[in-house]
């Protein structure tokens, strides 16, 4: 049966969506978000507050938004901004730290560290004063570049295209030859001139410094190991100067927070998002505020990260150990967005020795302590300003007094062990015994004071065996105020959850289970079938394809995240229900913890998912797959609830941030080097990249990179082309409706019915027009083909539509907006047809999938009828097999709907009814999958399908 709703509910009329004021007792309605925002600011704020810009940390909306906007092939129909969440807005920071009402949130600010504006000497000024100019340089001063063209050329060749010196010379020679007849020359004579100009850029000029470290302990009289006599160089940039550059970056204006705060929902429940919304920043502010001289200052916590990376295996396993830094003030999304929110601080030394001495206790202790001593030395410059304010300019142009602090440290497990001075196999956060990390009851948390006490009282062996402490290591945080390395170890979603618990544990355990249960030969057949099932999954926007299944050797984090989306249905039928439920609980935990915003209700869901995971995974112990679950990375899941309360949403502190930085800071500069003594060349490359980036920020702040004659000409040309395309493809009374690169074909409505093999298609159009005419009627008349208007004109057919919706937890654009394409084509990339599935907003109050129905798009088309213009989709409906989620997988199950005469249930709907794309995975059962079934035809041959809630985070939220 089709979804239980009338056609008038499905076929929405083309009308505006009204927005209601979220404040209790206010009944105002608004046509767009700008009107709602203006009303909120003027009518629902407290007059006794000082204005200050900040970003509202709002929870995600998990119900479908009727404002979701579609466009055919990049077409924009206009309408309200499709943002189902909350927009950036001006807020109010009370002087007394009282709460501020922010729509559905209430925000409480810290009362002492309030980020007051000051002058360059640190004197508090009028908080309503305008910022002083950043520079007195004129708007046409491109120094040291001759012109805008010179800067853009340097940026393009060195930063964007990474052109080699020889290729730069060739290009400039060709350019010069073309300008001889005009008696002109290119902006640079050669690569050396270009490099010298970049080096002369005054902005971003933070020099690289170095210091050396060596072993100074007792040495044997004979046969001294080479590592004892070696000298190790550490390269770094002054972190205080880097912080000043980062704090003063105008690009972060509106994306930086100055005061720790706590957000509460209308039910008085905490909401955690950006770093400053957590308890740790608030607690540090309390400690800093004990000195009244620090009141009014801005707390700037350093977020540090380090991770070894290999740039070449073939040429000698070349390794580097980069050190990165960010600040807790910027939004999590900004830190993840590769916009200089994370900077390279230095390169740590990697001591090497012979195999003979690699296991020596003295060598291992030296290697550990050199790591900590290097960090202590590098961050020495900020230590004086962890109790006494520094003065720095901020993105809004104002100066503020700054108190620094050591914040969370981003690292994978081996690095966490090294940082915390614990033994491999132990937890760096708590005192759980390594032999039973997930034993009954909570364990005491590690702390620096307890560690120091144990080191003083117990001998080395007992420390090692009973507490997992390496007694010879002094953590680098030891001499820094308010710093406890055990507290500062951050969550690491990538290595602990995605690569660790999922790929290295659960997926491998399934293979082990199959071998133990069925034997090696039969297990191999089942594993092949699982691979075939994964390969048969239909295409979906953002979904990685596994054409050969999962049987490949080199795994990355992206591979594991992609496998998560399709693995659960593939194993169902081949493994016990408890295994399926284990994966379901684990994936629920993973997707909840990766949310952009988490409320206390989310934390309850998170704990429930963790409890279910621990309960169901016992199947792997009872079947002999593993003897114990004492696994540090899996054990770390127990600490996530506390870490979310401390540091906000974990996606802002994941090691995927530093790993992605490896590409720009280490691997690409290494590839541009000569490979001989490459580090010095890499440092120079990074410095030039920093200079170009700083120059771009400065030129943009002065408005010099926009509005040039060339850009204006290109803009006019593009505008002319767009208008031409609109006039060709769109009806005369609908200017701007279509924005296509190439016209789609038009045909008679009967011809479209023949193409779709729908003999009654013209009557379906009649019924659609009838529903549209009575869309606002609460009791519409019954459709009568004899009296309904008949349409027999032309229709325009399109191959795809683009949906835009609010999905901040996914990889999305500005403001958390995501854009995806829905295909309905007769041949996809020269091959088989592709007809994607969609969620349709049924405007019902049912709890099943938040009132969403699933349909498959057979065709997108548009047509004009009298004075109206319609954008439509021909869809085949799916109906729910169950009224609730499947108990094992936690997913809804649907089946192709049929009418009473067993014909497919197909209808025409307005495109406004479509919320976004949906992804279905077949319910494979326990039989082997025929090889004839592929991703191209899997939507056509199965009786039922799972609605894949793991396709992406947004799908997880709505279904």
């Amino acid at each position: 049966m089709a979804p239980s709703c009338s056609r008038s509910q499905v076929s929405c009329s083309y009308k505006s969506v009204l927005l209601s004021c979220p404040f209790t007792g206010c009944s105002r309605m608004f046509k767009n978000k700008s009107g709602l925002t203006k009303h909120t600011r003027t009518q629902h704020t407290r007059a006794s507050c000082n204005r200050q810009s900040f970003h509202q940390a709002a929870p995600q909306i998990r119900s479908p938004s009727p404002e979701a906007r579609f466009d055919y092939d990049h077409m924009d129909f206009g309408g309200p901004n499709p943002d189902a969440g909350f927009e950036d807005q001006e807020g109010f920071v009370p002087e007394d730290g009282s709460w501020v009402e922010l729509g559905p949130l209430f925000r409480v600010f810290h009362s002492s560290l309030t980020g007051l504006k000051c002058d360059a000497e640190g004197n508090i000024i009028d908080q309503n004063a305008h910022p002083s100019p950043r520079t007195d340089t004129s708007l046409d001063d491109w120094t040291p570049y001759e012109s805008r063209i010179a800067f853009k050329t340097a940026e393009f060749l060195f930063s964007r295209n990474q052109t080699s010196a020889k290729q730069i010379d060739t290009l400039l020679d060709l350019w010069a030859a073309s300008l001889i007849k005009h008696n002109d020359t290119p902006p640079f004579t050669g690569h050396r001139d270009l490099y010298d100009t970049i080096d002369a850029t005054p902005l971003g000029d933070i020099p690289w410094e170095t210091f050396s470290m060596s072993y100074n302990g007792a040495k044997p009289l004979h046969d001294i190991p080479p590592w004892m006599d070696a000298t190790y160089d550490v390269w770094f940039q002054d972190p205080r100067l880097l912080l000043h550059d980062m704090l003063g970056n105008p690009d972060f204006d509106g994306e930086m927070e100055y005061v720790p705060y706590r957000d509460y929902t209308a039910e008085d429940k905490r909401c955690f998002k950006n770093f400053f919304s957590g308890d740790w920043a608030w607690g540090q502010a309390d400690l800093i505020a004990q000195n009244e001289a620090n009141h009014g200052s801005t707390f700037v916590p350093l977020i540090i990260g380090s991770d070894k990376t290999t740039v070449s295996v073939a040429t000698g396993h070349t390794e580097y150990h980069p050190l990165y830094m960010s600040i807790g003030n910027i939004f999590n999304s900004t830190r993840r967005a590769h916009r200089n929110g994370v900077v390279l601080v230095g390169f740590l030394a990697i001591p090497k020795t012979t195999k003979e001495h690699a296991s020596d206790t003295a060598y291992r202790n030296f290697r550990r302590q050199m790591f900590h001593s290097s960090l202590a030395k590098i961050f020495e410059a900020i230590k004086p300003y962890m109790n006494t304010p520094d003065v720095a300019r901020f993105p809004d142009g104002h100066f503020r007094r700054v108190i620094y602090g050591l914040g969370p440290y981003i690292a994978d497990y081996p690095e966490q062990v090294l940082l915390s001075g614990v033994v491999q196999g132990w937890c760096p956060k708590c005192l759980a015994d390594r032999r039973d990390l997930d034993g009954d009851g909570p364990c005491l948390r590690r702390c620096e004071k307890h560690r120091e006490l144990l080191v003083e009282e117990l001998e080395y062996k007992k420390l090692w065996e009973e507490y997992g402490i390496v007694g010879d290591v002094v953590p680098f945080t030891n001499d820094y105020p308010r710093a406890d390395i055990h507290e500062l170890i951050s969550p690491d979603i990538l290595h602990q959850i995605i690569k660790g618990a999922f790929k290295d544990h659960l997926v491998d355990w399934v293979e082990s289970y199959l071998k133990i249960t069925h034997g090696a030969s039969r297990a191999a057949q089942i594993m092949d079938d699982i691979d075939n099932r994964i390969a048969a999954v239909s295409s979906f926007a953002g979904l990685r394809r596994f054409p050969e299944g999962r049987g490949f050797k080199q795994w990355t984090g992206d591979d594991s995240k992609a496998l998560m989306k399709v693995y659960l249905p593939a194993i169902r039928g081949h493994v016990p229900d408890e295994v399926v439920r284990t994966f379901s609980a684990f994936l629920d935990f993973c997707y909840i913890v990766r949310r952009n915003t988490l409320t206390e209700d989310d934390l309850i869901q998170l704990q429930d998912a963790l409890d279910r995971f621990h309960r169901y995974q016992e199947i792997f112990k009872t079947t002999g797959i593993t003897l114990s679950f004492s696994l540090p990375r899996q054990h770390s899941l127990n600490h996530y609830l506390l870490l979310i309360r401390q540091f906000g949403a974990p996606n802002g502190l994941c090691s995927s941030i530093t790993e992605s930085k490896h590409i720009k800071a280490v691997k690409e500069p290494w590839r541009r080097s000569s490979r001989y003594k490459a580090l010095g060349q890499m440092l120079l490359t990074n410095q030039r990249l920093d200079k170009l980036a700083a120059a771009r920020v400065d030129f943009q702040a002065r408005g010099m990179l926009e509005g040039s004659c060339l850009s204006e000409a290109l803009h006019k040309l593009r505008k002319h082309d767009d208008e031409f395309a609109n006039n060709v493809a769109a009806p005369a009374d609908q200017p701007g409706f279509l924005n296509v690169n190439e016209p789609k074909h038009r045909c008679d409505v009967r011809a479209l019915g023949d193409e779709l093999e729908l003999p009654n298609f013209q009557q379906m159009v009649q019924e659609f027009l009838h529903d549209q005419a009575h869309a606002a009627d609460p009791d519409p008349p019954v459709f009568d083909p004899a009296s309904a208007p008949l349409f027999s004109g032309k229709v325009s057919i399109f191959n795809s539509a683009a949906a835009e919706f609010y999905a901040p937890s996914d990889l999305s654009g500005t403001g958390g907006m995501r854009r995806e394409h829905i295909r309905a084509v007769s041949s996809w990339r020269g091959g088989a047809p592709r007809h994607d599935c969609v969620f349709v907003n049924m405007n019902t109050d049912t709890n099943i999938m938040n009132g969403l129905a699933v349909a498959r798009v057979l065709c997108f088309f548009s047509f004009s009828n009298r004075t109206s213009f319609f954008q439509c989709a021909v869809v085949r409906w799916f109906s729910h097999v169950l009224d609730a989620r499947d108990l094992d997988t936690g997913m809804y199950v649907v089946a192709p709907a049929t009418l009473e005469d067993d014909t497919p249930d197909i209808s025409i709907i307005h495109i406004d009814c479509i919320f976004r794309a949906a992804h279905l995975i077949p319910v494979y059962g326990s039989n082997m999958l025929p090889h004839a079934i592929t991703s191209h035809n899997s939507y056509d041959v199965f009786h039922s399908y799972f609605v894949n809630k793991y396709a992406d985070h947004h799908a997880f939220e709505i279904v």
Side-chain angles (χ1 to χ4, degrees), residues 506 582 585-586 609-617 634 637:
L506 295 178
T582 300
F586 174 81
L610 184 60
D611 292 341
R612 287 187 287 118
F613 171 67
H614 285 154
R615 181 168 67 253
Y616 292 128
Q617 75 166 351
Q634 192 178 119
L637 274 60

Side-chain angles (χ1 to χ4, degrees), residues 737-867:
F737 168 65
L738 296 178
N739 181 12
V740 294
N741 294 323
E742 58 185 63
K744 307 302 179 183
H745 72 276
R746 291 171 61 84
C747 67
D748 184 86
V749 65
R750 294 186 182 88
L752 178 56
D754 294 339
E755 182 179 331
L756 297 174
E757 298 181 356
L758 297 173
N760 63 336
F761 183 71
Q762 194 169 12
Q763 182 176 326
M764 293 170 60
V765 176
Q766 270 188 293
E767 185 175 1
F768 171 79
L769 291 173
H770 172 270
D771 291 340
Q772 291 297 303
H774 300 281
D777 193 341
D779 188 19
V782 177
F783 169 69
D784 181 8
S787 60
L790 179 66
F791 176 79
S792 58
K794 297 282 187 179
V795 296
S796 297
I797 303 173
F798 301 90
N799 289 335
S800 66
E804 191 173 3
F805 50 91
Y806 183 72
S809 297
D810 291 287
L811 292 175
S812 52
T814 303
M817 300 306 298
R818 181 176 176 180
R819 188 179 181 89
E820 70 179 6
H821 294 279
I822 303 167
R823 316 285 180 179
V825 294
S826 57
S827 177
W828 173 243
R829 294 179 175 174
R834 175 173 171 179
H835 297 279
D836 291 342
C837 294
V838 294
F839 290 114
V840 181
N841 193 350
M842 305 299 291
N843 294 326
T844 60
D845 296 329
T846 176
N847 291 326
I848 301 177
M849 289 202 321
N850 289 312
L852 294 174
V854 177
R856 190 179 183 194
V857 180
L858 304 181
C859 176
F860 288 114
F861 71 100
S862 66
F863 67 98
S864 293
N865 183 56
R866 298 178 182 176
T867 60

Side-chain angles (χ1 to χ4, degrees), residues 91 244 251 513 588 637:
H244 277 234
D251 195 33
Y513 168 82
D588 286 348
L637 274 60

Side-chain angles (χ1 to χ4, degrees), residues 64-65 68-70 540-542 802-807 810 818-822 836-841 852-855 857 911-919 948-949 951-959:
S65 168
R69 181 176 62 205
F70 275 77
F540 183 74
E804 191 173 3
F805 50 91
Y806 183 72
D810 291 287
R818 181 176 176 180
R819 188 179 181 89
E820 70 179 6
H821 294 279
I822 303 167
D836 291 342
C837 294
V838 294
F839 290 114
V840 181
N841 193 350
L852 294 174
V854 177
V857 180
I911 197 171
D912 284 354
C913 298
I914 298 177
F915 181 41
R916 61 155 299 184
H919 189 234
N948 186 11
K949 69 177 182 178
D952 53 44
H953 289 283
H954 189 257
F956 182 80
E957 300 300 327
I958 63 175
V959 298

Side-chain angles (χ1 to χ4, degrees), residues 386-562:
M386 295 178 71
N387 289 314
T388 303
D390 189 14
V391 178
R393 187 190 289 269
F394 279 74
D396 60 0
H398 286 286
F399 289 93
R400 288 175 176 84
R401 297 186 301 169
V402 174
I403 297 291
Y404 300 114
L406 294 183
Y409 202 112
I410 301 174
D412 58 12
Y413 178 70
E415 200 105 338
Q416 289 180 359
V417 167
L418 180 60
L419 280 162
S420 56
V422 302
V423 179
Q424 189 81 17
W426 290 75
C427 176
K429 299 288 293 183
C430 72
L431 290 166
D433 192 292
R434 69 175 182 84
R435 293 173 290 270
D436 188 19
L437 287 175
D438 289 339
D440 295 335
C443 294
L444 294 175
R445 285 187 285 164
R446 293 184 185 269
C447 69
E448 197 62 43
K449 291 183 179 179
H450 182 247
R451 172 195 169 89
E452 292 175 355
L453 179 63
L454 291 176
V455 170
E456 289 179 2
E457 298 296 329
L458 301 179
E459 55 186 39
Y460 187 91
K461 184 177 180 181
K462 194 169 186 178
L463 285 171
W464 184 286
E465 294 178 350
E466 295 187 13
Y467 293 94
I469 295 175
V470 182
D472 292 339
V473 174
V474 180
F476 81 100
T477 55
N478 190 62
D479 296 328
Y480 284 80
R482 307 183 306 276
D484 186 333
I485 190 58
H486 301 293
E487 182 183 44
L488 298 181
I489 297 294
S490 73
D492 181 14
I493 294 175
L494 176 62
H495 291 96
Q496 292 170 343
I497 296 179
I498 297 171
K499 284 186 174 181
F502 177 71
K503 169 59 180 65
D504 293 341
H505 299 159
L506 295 178
V507 174
D508 287 352
W509 288 349
V510 168
E511 187 171 356
S512 299
Y513 168 82
L514 294 174
K515 289 180 179 178
I516 290 177
T517 306
H518 300 285
S521 178
R522 177 60 178 169
Q525 295 176 1
I526 296 175
M527 291 300 299
D528 285 341
D529 186 61
I530 291 175
D531 286 346
N532 291 337
R533 293 179 175 192
I534 293 173
V537 171
S538 295
S539 299
F540 183 74
L543 182 68
R544 175 168 179 175
R545 298 287 302 123
F546 290 91
E548 304 297 331
R550 54 163 295 277
F552 52 94
K553 296 181 179 179
Q554 188 64 38
W555 278 86
T556 66
D558 289 339
D559 295 329
S560 297
K561 283 185 280 189

